[in-house]
Protein backbone atom coordinates (compact mmCIF):
# COMPACT_ATOMS: atom_id res chain seq x y z
CA UNK A 1 0.00 0.00 0.00
CA UNK A 2 2.79 2.42 0.95
CA UNK A 3 4.64 1.46 -2.15
CA UNK A 4 1.57 2.25 -4.20
CA UNK A 5 1.21 5.76 -2.65
CA UNK A 6 4.90 6.48 -3.29
CA UNK A 7 4.60 5.55 -6.90
CA UNK A 8 1.47 7.69 -7.28
CA UNK A 9 3.28 10.87 -6.14
CA UNK A 10 6.36 10.27 -8.23
CA UNK A 11 6.59 12.75 -11.24
CA UNK A 12 6.57 11.10 -14.62
CA UNK A 13 9.94 11.12 -16.35
CA UNK A 14 10.02 13.67 -19.25
CA UNK A 15 11.51 12.47 -22.45
CA UNK A 16 13.49 14.95 -24.62
CA UNK A 17 11.92 16.02 -27.92
CA UNK A 18 13.45 14.58 -31.00
CA UNK A 19 12.92 15.04 -34.70
CA UNK A 20 10.11 17.42 -35.84
CA UNK A 21 8.86 17.88 -32.31
CA UNK A 22 12.25 19.22 -31.19
CA UNK A 23 12.37 21.74 -34.06
CA UNK A 24 8.85 22.97 -33.28
CA UNK A 25 9.67 23.49 -29.61
CA UNK A 26 12.84 25.42 -30.41
CA UNK A 27 10.97 27.70 -32.79
CA UNK A 28 8.32 28.48 -30.19
CA UNK A 29 10.97 29.19 -27.56
CA UNK A 30 12.88 31.60 -29.81
CA UNK A 31 9.68 33.43 -30.79
CA UNK A 32 8.75 33.87 -27.17
CA UNK A 33 12.20 35.19 -26.31
CA UNK A 34 12.13 37.66 -29.18
CA UNK A 35 8.71 38.93 -28.11
CA UNK A 36 9.91 39.43 -24.55
CA UNK A 37 13.07 41.17 -25.67
CA UNK A 38 11.13 43.47 -27.97
CA UNK A 39 8.73 44.43 -25.23
CA UNK A 40 11.57 45.05 -22.80
CA UNK A 41 13.54 47.13 -25.37
CA UNK A 42 10.55 49.29 -26.22
CA UNK A 43 10.11 50.13 -22.60
CA UNK A 44 13.82 50.86 -22.02
CA UNK A 45 14.42 53.16 -25.04
CA UNK A 46 11.43 55.44 -25.67
CA UNK A 47 11.46 57.62 -28.79
CA UNK A 48 13.03 61.06 -28.39
CA UNK A 49 10.46 63.82 -27.99
CA UNK A 50 9.94 66.12 -30.95
CA UNK A 51 11.65 69.53 -30.63
CA UNK A 52 9.52 72.29 -29.23
CA UNK A 53 8.42 75.25 -31.34
CA UNK A 54 10.95 77.42 -29.50
CA UNK A 55 13.76 74.99 -30.32
CA UNK A 56 12.72 74.91 -33.97
CA UNK A 57 12.65 78.72 -34.13
CA UNK A 58 16.11 78.94 -32.54
CA UNK A 59 17.54 76.45 -35.04
CA UNK A 60 15.90 78.27 -37.97
CA UNK A 61 17.44 81.54 -36.78
CA UNK A 62 20.83 79.84 -36.56
CA UNK A 63 20.49 78.43 -40.07
CA UNK A 64 19.56 81.84 -41.48
CA UNK A 65 22.56 83.39 -39.74
CA UNK A 66 24.85 80.62 -41.02
CA UNK A 67 23.49 81.20 -44.53
CA UNK A 68 24.29 84.90 -44.24
CA UNK A 69 27.84 84.11 -43.10
CA UNK A 70 28.20 81.76 -46.07
CA UNK A 71 26.77 84.47 -48.35
CA UNK A 72 29.48 86.94 -47.35
CA UNK A 73 32.13 84.27 -47.84
CA UNK A 74 30.61 83.53 -51.25
CA UNK A 75 30.75 87.23 -52.12
CA UNK A 76 34.40 87.38 -51.08
CA UNK A 77 35.28 84.24 -53.03
CA UNK A 78 33.50 85.59 -56.09
CA UNK A 79 35.48 88.83 -55.87
CA UNK A 80 38.76 86.91 -55.57
CA UNK A 81 37.76 84.63 -58.44
CA UNK A 82 37.12 87.66 -60.64
CA UNK A 83 40.53 89.12 -59.72
CA UNK A 84 42.27 85.81 -60.44
CA UNK A 85 40.49 85.52 -63.79
CA UNK A 86 41.63 89.03 -64.70
CA UNK A 87 45.22 88.23 -63.70
CA UNK A 88 45.25 85.07 -65.84
CA UNK A 89 43.84 86.97 -68.82
CA UNK A 90 46.38 89.78 -68.38
CA UNK A 91 49.27 87.33 -68.27
CA UNK A 92 47.96 85.52 -71.34
CA UNK A 93 47.86 88.83 -73.23
CA UNK A 94 51.38 89.67 -72.09
CA UNK A 95 52.67 86.25 -73.18
CA UNK A 96 51.06 86.75 -76.60
CA UNK A 97 52.68 90.19 -77.04
CA UNK A 98 56.08 88.86 -76.01
CA UNK A 99 55.73 85.92 -78.40
CA UNK A 100 54.93 88.31 -81.29
CA UNK A 101 58.07 90.34 -80.52
CA UNK A 102 60.11 87.14 -80.32
CA UNK A 103 58.83 85.98 -83.71
CA UNK A 104 59.69 89.36 -85.23
CA UNK A 105 63.25 89.14 -83.85
CA UNK A 106 63.64 85.57 -85.10
CA UNK A 107 62.48 86.61 -88.58
CA UNK A 108 65.02 89.45 -88.66
CA UNK A 109 67.77 87.11 -87.52
CA UNK A 110 66.80 84.57 -90.18
CA UNK A 111 66.89 87.21 -92.93
CA UNK A 112 70.31 88.35 -91.78
CA UNK A 113 71.66 84.80 -91.67
CA UNK A 114 70.38 84.17 -95.21
CA UNK A 115 72.10 87.28 -96.50
CA UNK A 116 75.37 86.33 -94.82
CA UNK A 117 75.22 82.85 -96.29
CA UNK A 118 74.81 84.23 -99.79
CA UNK A 119 77.76 86.64 -99.50
CA UNK A 120 80.04 84.68 -97.21
CA UNK A 121 81.07 81.76 -99.42
CA UNK A 122 84.62 83.18 -99.93
CA UNK A 123 87.11 84.27 -97.33
CA UNK A 124 86.99 88.09 -96.89
CA UNK A 125 90.73 88.38 -97.84
CA UNK A 126 90.14 86.49 -101.08
CA UNK A 127 87.09 88.63 -101.85
CA UNK A 128 89.24 91.76 -101.36
CA UNK A 129 92.00 90.41 -103.59
CA UNK A 130 89.59 89.57 -106.38
CA UNK A 131 87.57 92.74 -106.10
CA UNK A 132 87.81 95.15 -109.01
CA UNK A 133 86.85 97.99 -106.64
CA UNK A 134 88.68 97.54 -103.30
CA UNK A 135 87.26 100.77 -101.84
CA UNK A 136 83.72 99.64 -102.49
CA UNK A 137 84.45 96.24 -101.00
CA UNK A 138 85.91 97.77 -97.81
CA UNK A 139 82.82 99.90 -97.46
CA UNK A 140 80.63 96.81 -97.75
CA UNK A 141 82.81 95.01 -95.23
CA UNK A 142 82.23 97.83 -92.72
CA UNK A 143 78.50 97.37 -93.23
CA UNK A 144 78.93 93.65 -92.62
CA UNK A 145 80.73 94.36 -89.35
CA UNK A 146 77.84 96.54 -88.22
CA UNK A 147 75.43 93.82 -89.35
CA UNK A 148 77.36 91.36 -87.19
CA UNK A 149 76.88 93.66 -84.22
CA UNK A 150 73.18 93.84 -84.97
CA UNK A 151 73.05 90.05 -85.17
CA UNK A 152 74.71 89.71 -81.78
CA UNK A 153 72.24 92.22 -80.37
CA UNK A 154 69.32 90.31 -81.90
CA UNK A 155 70.58 87.05 -80.42
CA UNK A 156 70.93 88.64 -77.00
CA UNK A 157 67.46 90.13 -77.29
CA UNK A 158 65.98 86.76 -78.28
CA UNK A 159 67.55 85.12 -75.24
CA UNK A 160 66.05 87.82 -72.97
CA UNK A 161 62.65 87.45 -74.60
CA UNK A 162 62.68 83.67 -74.18
CA UNK A 163 63.54 84.11 -70.51
CA UNK A 164 60.80 86.72 -70.10
CA UNK A 165 58.21 84.49 -71.74
CA UNK A 166 59.19 81.62 -69.43
CA UNK A 167 58.69 83.89 -66.39
CA UNK A 168 55.30 85.05 -67.65
CA UNK A 169 54.17 81.48 -68.24
CA UNK A 170 55.30 80.46 -64.75
CA UNK A 171 53.29 83.33 -63.24
CA UNK A 172 50.33 82.36 -65.41
CA UNK A 173 50.53 78.78 -64.11
CA UNK A 174 50.51 80.06 -60.52
CA UNK A 175 47.53 82.32 -61.18
CA UNK A 176 45.70 79.47 -62.91
CA UNK A 177 46.18 77.30 -59.81
CA UNK A 178 44.92 80.15 -57.64
CA UNK A 179 41.92 80.57 -59.93
CA UNK A 180 41.05 76.89 -59.58
CA UNK A 181 41.21 77.20 -55.79
CA UNK A 182 38.98 80.29 -55.85
CA UNK A 183 36.44 78.53 -58.02
CA UNK A 184 36.41 75.51 -55.71
CA UNK A 185 35.81 77.81 -52.74
CA UNK A 186 33.09 79.65 -54.65
CA UNK A 187 31.30 76.39 -55.48
CA UNK A 188 31.55 75.26 -51.86
CA UNK A 189 29.76 78.37 -50.59
CA UNK A 190 27.35 78.37 -53.53
CA UNK A 191 26.25 74.88 -52.45
CA UNK A 192 26.18 75.61 -48.71
CA UNK A 193 23.84 78.61 -48.90
CA UNK A 194 20.79 76.98 -50.55
CA UNK A 195 21.31 73.87 -48.40
CA UNK A 196 21.05 75.89 -45.19
CA UNK A 197 18.06 77.82 -46.49
CA UNK A 198 16.33 74.58 -47.51
CA UNK A 199 16.98 73.12 -44.05
CA UNK A 200 15.43 76.23 -42.50
CA UNK A 201 12.33 75.89 -44.68
CA UNK A 202 11.98 72.20 -43.76
CA UNK A 203 12.13 73.04 -40.06
CA UNK A 204 9.56 75.79 -40.45
CA UNK A 205 7.29 73.30 -42.21
CA UNK A 206 7.21 71.20 -39.00
CA UNK A 207 5.47 74.05 -37.15
CA UNK A 208 1.77 74.64 -37.17
CA UNK A 209 0.38 77.57 -39.14
CA UNK A 210 -0.05 79.53 -35.91
CA UNK A 211 3.50 78.77 -34.81
CA UNK A 212 4.92 79.81 -38.20
CA UNK A 213 2.96 83.08 -38.05
CA UNK A 214 4.30 83.71 -34.54
CA UNK A 215 7.83 83.03 -35.77
CA UNK A 216 7.44 85.43 -38.70
CA UNK A 217 6.17 88.14 -36.34
CA UNK A 218 9.11 87.64 -34.00
CA UNK A 219 11.59 87.59 -36.91
CA UNK A 220 10.06 90.78 -38.32
CA UNK A 221 10.36 92.43 -34.93
CA UNK A 222 13.98 91.33 -34.58
CA UNK A 223 14.84 92.75 -38.02
CA UNK A 224 12.91 95.97 -37.74
CA UNK A 225 9.21 95.12 -37.85
CA UNK A 226 7.20 95.33 -41.04
CA UNK A 227 4.28 93.47 -42.53
CA UNK A 228 3.91 89.82 -41.67
CA UNK A 229 2.02 88.54 -44.70
CA UNK A 230 3.33 88.11 -48.22
CA UNK A 231 0.59 90.38 -49.56
CA UNK A 232 1.60 93.12 -47.15
CA UNK A 233 5.25 92.70 -48.14
CA UNK A 234 4.34 93.10 -51.80
CA UNK A 235 2.41 96.25 -50.96
CA UNK A 236 5.36 97.53 -48.98
CA UNK A 237 7.62 97.04 -52.00
CA UNK A 238 5.18 98.79 -54.34
CA UNK A 239 4.91 101.91 -52.18
CA UNK A 240 8.27 101.96 -50.42
CA UNK A 241 9.70 104.91 -52.32
CA UNK A 242 6.69 107.11 -51.44
CA UNK A 243 5.67 105.96 -47.97
CA UNK A 244 8.92 104.98 -46.24
CA UNK A 245 9.54 107.03 -43.12
CA UNK A 246 12.59 109.21 -43.46
CA UNK A 247 14.92 110.27 -40.71
CA UNK A 248 15.07 113.95 -39.88
CA UNK A 249 18.80 113.70 -39.14
CA UNK A 250 20.94 115.59 -41.63
CA UNK A 251 23.64 113.71 -43.50
CA UNK A 252 27.15 115.09 -42.95
CA UNK A 253 27.75 115.66 -46.68
CA UNK A 254 26.07 115.38 -50.06
CA UNK A 255 27.50 111.95 -50.85
CA UNK A 256 26.19 110.47 -47.61
CA UNK A 257 22.81 112.08 -48.37
CA UNK A 258 22.74 110.41 -51.81
CA UNK A 259 23.61 107.02 -50.28
CA UNK A 260 20.81 107.35 -47.73
CA UNK A 261 18.37 108.44 -50.45
CA UNK A 262 19.24 105.37 -52.54
CA UNK A 263 18.70 103.08 -49.55
CA UNK A 264 15.26 104.61 -48.93
CA UNK A 265 14.37 103.91 -52.54
CA UNK A 266 15.36 100.25 -52.09
CA UNK A 267 12.95 99.63 -49.19
CA UNK A 268 10.64 96.72 -49.95
CA UNK A 269 12.92 95.08 -52.50
CA UNK A 270 13.65 91.41 -51.79
CA UNK A 271 16.71 89.90 -50.18
CA UNK A 272 18.55 87.60 -52.58
CA UNK A 273 21.95 86.25 -51.61
CA UNK A 274 24.73 87.49 -53.89
CA UNK A 275 22.55 90.30 -55.32
CA UNK A 276 23.73 93.90 -55.68
CA UNK A 277 20.61 95.43 -57.25
CA UNK A 278 18.83 97.06 -58.77
CA UNK A 279 15.88 94.74 -58.10
CA UNK A 280 17.23 92.66 -55.18
CA UNK A 281 20.04 92.88 -52.63
CA UNK A 282 21.88 91.05 -49.93
CA UNK A 283 23.11 93.11 -46.98
CA UNK A 284 26.53 94.15 -48.28
CA UNK A 285 25.15 94.38 -51.82
CA UNK A 286 22.72 97.07 -50.62
CA UNK A 287 25.37 99.20 -48.90
CA UNK A 288 27.72 98.83 -51.87
CA UNK A 289 24.98 99.91 -54.29
CA UNK A 290 23.92 102.83 -52.07
CA UNK A 291 27.42 104.26 -51.94
CA UNK A 292 28.00 103.53 -55.63
CA UNK A 293 25.00 105.79 -56.33
CA UNK A 294 26.89 108.44 -54.36
CA UNK A 295 30.01 107.99 -56.51
CA UNK A 296 31.99 105.93 -53.99
CA UNK A 297 33.28 102.41 -54.71
CA UNK A 298 33.03 100.05 -51.74
CA UNK A 299 34.43 96.52 -51.55
CA UNK A 300 31.94 93.68 -51.82
CA UNK A 301 31.83 92.01 -48.41
CA UNK A 302 30.96 93.01 -44.85
CA UNK A 303 34.40 92.10 -43.54
CA UNK A 304 36.10 94.30 -46.16
CA UNK A 305 33.59 97.15 -46.02
CA UNK A 306 34.29 97.66 -42.32
CA UNK A 307 37.82 98.74 -43.29
CA UNK A 308 36.69 101.00 -46.15
CA UNK A 309 36.67 104.20 -44.11
CA UNK A 310 37.21 105.72 -40.72
CA UNK A 311 35.97 103.76 -37.71
CA UNK A 312 33.47 105.63 -35.54
CA UNK A 313 31.91 104.80 -32.21
CA UNK A 314 28.24 104.07 -31.76
CA UNK A 315 27.72 107.44 -30.09
CA UNK A 316 29.22 109.24 -33.11
CA UNK A 317 26.98 107.66 -35.77
CA UNK A 318 25.78 109.92 -38.58
CA UNK A 319 23.53 109.19 -41.60
CA UNK A 320 25.41 107.29 -44.27
CA UNK A 321 27.68 105.42 -41.84
CA UNK A 322 27.98 101.65 -42.26
CA UNK A 323 26.91 99.71 -39.17
CA UNK A 324 28.09 96.13 -38.66
CA UNK A 325 26.76 93.26 -36.55
CA UNK A 326 27.79 89.94 -35.00
CA UNK A 327 31.28 88.93 -33.95
CA UNK A 328 32.13 87.64 -37.41
CA UNK A 329 31.11 90.95 -39.07
CA UNK A 330 28.51 89.01 -41.07
CA UNK A 331 25.81 91.71 -41.42
CA UNK A 332 25.80 95.39 -42.41
CA UNK A 333 23.26 98.18 -42.70
CA UNK A 334 23.24 101.87 -43.64
CA UNK A 335 22.64 104.20 -40.71
CA UNK A 336 19.98 106.87 -41.34
CA UNK A 337 19.85 108.61 -37.95
CA UNK A 338 17.68 108.37 -34.87
CA UNK A 339 19.05 104.96 -33.95
CA UNK A 340 17.71 103.51 -37.23
CA UNK A 341 19.26 101.87 -40.25
CA UNK A 342 18.15 100.52 -43.62
CA UNK A 343 19.28 96.95 -44.31
CA UNK A 344 18.53 93.77 -46.25
CA UNK A 345 17.76 91.35 -43.40
CA UNK A 346 17.48 87.79 -44.77
CA UNK A 347 15.59 85.64 -47.29
CA UNK A 348 11.87 86.31 -46.95
CA UNK A 349 12.42 89.69 -45.32
CA UNK A 350 12.71 92.63 -47.76
CA UNK A 351 14.88 95.72 -47.42
CA UNK A 352 13.54 97.73 -44.49
CA UNK A 353 14.17 100.21 -41.71
CA UNK A 354 15.24 98.66 -38.41
CA UNK A 355 16.61 99.77 -35.03
CA UNK A 356 20.37 99.42 -34.75
CA UNK A 357 20.05 97.83 -31.30
CA UNK A 358 18.10 94.77 -32.51
CA UNK A 359 21.28 92.86 -33.40
CA UNK A 360 24.67 92.46 -31.69
CA UNK A 361 26.55 95.65 -32.68
CA UNK A 362 30.10 95.02 -33.91
CA UNK A 363 31.29 98.42 -35.15
CA UNK A 364 30.74 101.27 -37.59
CA UNK A 365 32.64 102.93 -40.42
CA UNK A 366 32.31 106.39 -41.96
CA UNK A 367 32.91 106.17 -45.70
CA UNK A 368 33.13 109.86 -46.59
Amino acid sequence: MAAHRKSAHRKPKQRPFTGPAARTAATLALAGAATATSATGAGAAPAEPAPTAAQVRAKVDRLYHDAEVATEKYNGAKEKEAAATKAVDTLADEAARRTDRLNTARHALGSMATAQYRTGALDPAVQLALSSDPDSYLERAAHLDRAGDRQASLLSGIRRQLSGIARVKARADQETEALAARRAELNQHRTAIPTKLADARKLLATLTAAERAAYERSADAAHGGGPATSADRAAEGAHADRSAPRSSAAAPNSRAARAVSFAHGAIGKPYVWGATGPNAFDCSGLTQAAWKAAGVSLPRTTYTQINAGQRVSRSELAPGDLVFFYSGISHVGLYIGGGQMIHAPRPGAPVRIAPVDHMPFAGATRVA
Side-chain angles (χ1 to χ4, degrees):
M1 186 70 179
H4 175 74
R5 286 196 300 269
K6 186 175 181 181
S7 63
H9 287 87
R10 184 182 299 144
K11 294 181 179 180
K13 186 176 181 181
Q14 296 181 352
R15 297 179 179 179
F17 291 117
T18 59
R23 288 194 295 274
T24 302
T27 301
L28 291 172
L30 288 172
T35 302
T37 303
S38 175
T40 304
E48 293 186 5
T52 65
Q55 289 171 331
V56 170
R57 291 195 297 267
K59 191 167 184 180
V60 168
D61 283 340
R62 188 163 58 251
L63 284 167
Y64 276 137
H65 177 68
D66 291 346
E68 187 167 45
V69 172
T71 295
E72 290 306 308
K73 290 181 178 178
Y74 166 84
N75 292 337
K78 189 174 182 180
E79 198 171 40
K80 291 174 183 175
E81 190 253 2
T85 299
K86 183 177 180 181
V88 169
D89 290 344
T90 299
L91 288 169
D93 290 342
E94 182 179 352
R97 289 193 301 271
R98 286 174 178 263
T99 301
D100 286 343
R101 291 198 296 269
L102 173 64
N103 291 336
T104 300
R106 281 174 167 167
H107 178 74
L109 183 62
S111 299
M112 186 175 293
T114 300
Q116 287 178 347
Y117 175 79
R118 288 172 177 170
T119 61
L122 293 176
D123 182 87
V126 176
Q127 291 186 46
L128 177 59
L130 297 176
S131 175
S132 60
D133 187 355
D135 291 335
S136 177
Y137 172 79
L138 290 173
E139 184 179 351
R140 289 197 305 272
H143 286 301
L144 287 173
D145 287 340
R146 288 194 293 273
D149 292 339
R150 287 198 301 274
Q151 178 178 330
S153 178
L154 278 172
L155 286 169
S156 178
I158 287 172
R159 283 193 293 268
R160 287 195 303 270
Q161 289 176 38
L162 286 170
S163 178
I165 290 172
R167 288 194 300 270
V168 170
K169 287 184 176 179
R171 286 164 49 204
D173 289 342
Q174 292 174 352
E175 290 294 342
T176 300
E177 290 179 6
L179 177 58
R182 299 305 183 200
R183 285 177 173 167
E185 182 184 4
L186 189 66
N187 289 332
Q188 177 186 356
H189 297 309
R190 184 187 282 121
T191 302
I193 296 165
T195 299
K196 293 180 185 298
L197 295 178
D199 289 344
R201 288 191 294 270
K202 288 178 184 177
L203 278 173
L204 284 173
T206 65
L207 301 176
T208 66
E211 288 170 338
R212 284 196 299 273
Y215 171 78
E216 290 296 336
R217 287 193 296 272
S218 66
D220 280 332
H223 292 94
T229 69
S230 58
D232 287 339
R233 286 196 182 97
E236 180 186 40
H239 301 290
D241 56 341
R242 297 190 295 274
S243 62
R246 294 182 180 258
S247 170
S248 60
N253 54 60
S254 61
R255 285 184 295 181
R258 287 197 296 273
V260 170
S261 177
F262 179 94
H264 273 287
I267 291 174
K269 292 184 178 181
Y271 178 105
V272 174
W273 61 270
T276 58
N279 299 318
F281 302 90
D282 62 21
C283 68
S284 57
L286 174 64
T287 50
Q288 185 188 50
W291 273 102
K292 182 179 180 181
V296 177
S297 178
L298 288 183
R300 179 63 182 91
T301 64
T302 52
Y303 47 85
T304 51
Q305 287 183 5
I306 197 170
N307 297 317
Q310 176 188 356
R311 295 288 186 93
V312 293
S313 68
R314 189 166 180 170
S315 61
E316 297 172 321
L317 287 174
D321 289 347
L322 304 177
V323 282
F324 299 89
F325 303 92
Y326 300 105
S327 59
I329 318 296
S330 59
H331 191 73
V332 62
L334 189 76
Y335 189 71
I336 60 173
Q340 304 284 306
M341 67 175 174
I342 297 175
H343 72 144
R346 61 172 177 81
V351 175
R352 60 180 55 170
I353 294 175
V356 171
D357 60 3
H358 273 194
M359 286 180 284
F361 187 81
T365 293
R366 182 158 300 154
V367 178

